[in-house]
Amino acid sequence: DGVVKIKQLAKAAGRDPAAFDFTVFALEQQFRTKAEIQALQKAGANRVILWILQPELKSIMKELDDLARTVLG
């Protein structure tokens, strides 16, 4: 509902609602499935920034690969 309201306010103020960018910042363990990301997209999010759980590069790369397969499928 928030995205819809912001776009309405933008239009009323003479701004282009399509020019707005909506980014979601995930907390730890949030938005780690394809369905969750699709729900955010449906709600109007243009970008989702995920919390990376692993502390070292090799583990981070594996986590990114896993997320890509799970979320982007």
Side-chain angles (χ1 to χ4, degrees), residues 4-58:
V4 171
K5 182 67 174 174
I6 290 170
K7 288 184 176 187
Q8 289 171 343
L9 291 169
K11 189 174 182 179
R15 302 277 307 271
D16 178 9
F20 283 72
D21 184 42
F22 297 93
T23 300
V24 175
F25 290 89
L27 297 175
E28 189 174 343
Q29 295 292 345
Q30 242 183 343
F31 312 127
R32 300 186 75 85
T33 69
K34 189 172 187 170
E36 290 170 326
I37 300 296
Q38 287 173 333
L40 292 171
Q41 182 180 24
K42 185 176 178 183
N46 302 96
R47 177 182 304 108
V48 178
I49 298 174
L50 299 177
W51 185 290
I52 300 301
L53 303 174
Q54 300 302 318
E56 52 193 53
L57 183 58
K58 188 174 180 178

